[in-house]
Amino acid sequence: MPKELFDILKGHPFDGDHCFLCGVELNTSNRTVEHVFPRWLQEAFNLRDQTITLLNRTRIAYRNLVIPCCRQCNGEYLSRLENRVRAVVLDKTKSLREIK
């Protein structure tokens, strides 16, 4: 793991009060939640009402599996990434290797 990445992760507060991606403190104006499995993916594979068992043996519906995220990371960075992945996943003629 590159030293820079390790340093970032070492000081990153992974809790409900900070963005999971950038670590910014969340408040009422910048707080959103990011679905771990995006809604489009849940719909495409009929996962919305299915449950997943977490490592601690907790069962949770896919639709409820969310993490805290700031508005900028969710609306800009993750949205762009999700759009690229969705375009390939939903097109049966493409391979995941085509995600750019």
Side-chain angles (χ1 to χ4, degrees):
M1 178 181 306
K3 182 180 182 335
E4 306 83 38
L5 181 58
F6 178 77
D7 289 345
I8 291 168
L9 292 177
K10 185 177 177 185
H12 191 89
F14 292 101
D15 60 25
D17 296 322
H18 294 85
C19 175
F20 86 97
L21 192 58
C22 72
V24 70
E25 188 171 358
L26 299 172
N27 56 51
T28 56
S29 65
N30 72 351
R31 178 183 299 275
T32 67
V33 292
E34 173 68 6
H35 286 87
V36 174
F37 296 91
R39 289 179 186 156
W40 62 265
L41 186 71
Q42 293 176 43
E43 290 175 16
F45 294 96
N46 197 28
L47 297 173
R48 182 170 168 70
D49 295 320
Q50 302 297 319
T51 59
I52 185 172
T53 303
L54 304 179
L55 291 175
N56 66 1
R57 305 249 187 251
T58 301
R59 293 182 59 86
I60 187 170
Y62 280 86
R63 70 177 176 275
N64 295 331
L65 190 55
V66 296
I67 49 180
C69 190
C70 75
R71 196 167 302 283
Q72 182 176 15
C73 286
N74 198 348
E76 291 180 34
Y77 310 119
L78 294 173
S79 180
R80 281 190 299 224
L81 175 62
E82 227 176 272
N83 288 335
R84 291 185 352 229
V85 171
R86 178 177 40 216
V88 172
V89 169
L90 297 181
D91 185 340
K92 296 180 184 196
T93 67
K94 295 188 176 184
S95 161
L96 290 179
R97 291 187 174 130
E98 295 182 54
I99 298 173
K100 296 179 177 143

